Amino acid sequence: MRQLPSPLRTVRLAPALLAAALGLAAGAAWSVDCEVNVLNAHNTAKARGWTFSCGATSGIIVPNFVTYPPAAIGCTFKTPPVPVPYTPGSHPVYGNFFKSEAGSRPNLKNGWKVKHFEVSGGQWSATAGNVTRVGFKTEEKYKAGHTYNFRVSKLVLTHPSGTCAKALDEAF
């Protein structure tokens, strides 16, 4: 006598097939990383109330925020003509970019985050809070009477499902 397929056997396979299908779908989803023009990001963000500043922990050095067309922003400063006494971390200049005003927007908008940024012009290190904004401090042993130009020349934003064409508009 021939046995007919059991409906229970089919019911037991359904959850396994569903789990496999969902696993494949989840594996196919990945975040998008977008390298954006830093100066374009600055122009978009500034128009929407984001701030950009450079500062120093000492009054000996006075840095200024500057743009470096066509694709960078940063801090420039000149050291005094006499040697600056140096102990590690004693006179760092810092950049604080893509910062929202008065904490009203503590993060980039719509799920966008800063994945990576690069600074050229000297030794530097990232400051805390770089998941949503760009901050760095200099690590240079300054030379007397020297002009420094620290440029943020690379900025990569990431989003779980966004598109690069809309990155600047959505993030700021």
Side-chain angles (χ1 to χ4, degrees):
M1 192 163 151
R2 190 164 175 241
Q3 191 174 23
L4 295 173
S6 168
L8 291 177
R9 194 173 294 153
T10 307
V11 171
R12 280 187 246 147
L13 286 176
L17 290 173
L18 181 61
L22 290 175
L24 288 175
W30 58 80
S31 64
V32 62
D33 296 340
C34 305
E35 184 172 342
V36 297
N37 178 298
V38 181
L39 186 57
N40 289 346
H42 161 264
N43 291 337
T44 300
K46 184 178 178 186
R48 296 178 181 174
W50 296 76
T51 62
F52 303 80
S53 63
C54 299
T57 57
S58 166
I60 296 173
I61 298 170
V62 179
N64 293 299
F65 173 80
V66 291
T67 59
Y68 296 100
I73 61 175
C75 297
T76 186
F77 59 95
K78 184 172 183 160
T79 55
V82 295
V84 177
Y86 179 79
T87 55
S90 64
H91 299 290
V93 169
Y94 55 88
N96 206 358
F97 308 144
F98 301 103
K99 181 180 172 190
S100 63
E101 289 193 34
S104 62
R105 283 191 307 261
N107 301 313
L108 296 182
K109 295 181 349 183
N110 300 314
W112 285 93
K113 294 181 180 178
V114 174
K115 180 173 185 176
H116 176 74
F117 67 94
E118 291 179 9
V119 177
S120 60
Q123 295 178 343
W124 64 280
S125 64
T127 57
N130 289 318
V131 172
T132 56
R133 60 187 59 90
V134 174
F136 71 93
K137 65 181 179 177
T138 61
E139 299 288 344
E140 285 287 310
K141 183 174 180 181
Y142 301 139
K143 298 174 190 163
H146 189 78
T147 300
Y148 290 88
N149 293 290
F150 283 81
R151 294 177 178 92
V152 177
S153 52
K154 183 174 184 177
L155 177 62
V156 179
L157 303 180
T158 188
H159 191 275
S161 62
T163 61
C164 291
K166 297 180 180 180
L168 295 181
D169 189 49
E170 291 178 354
F172 303 107

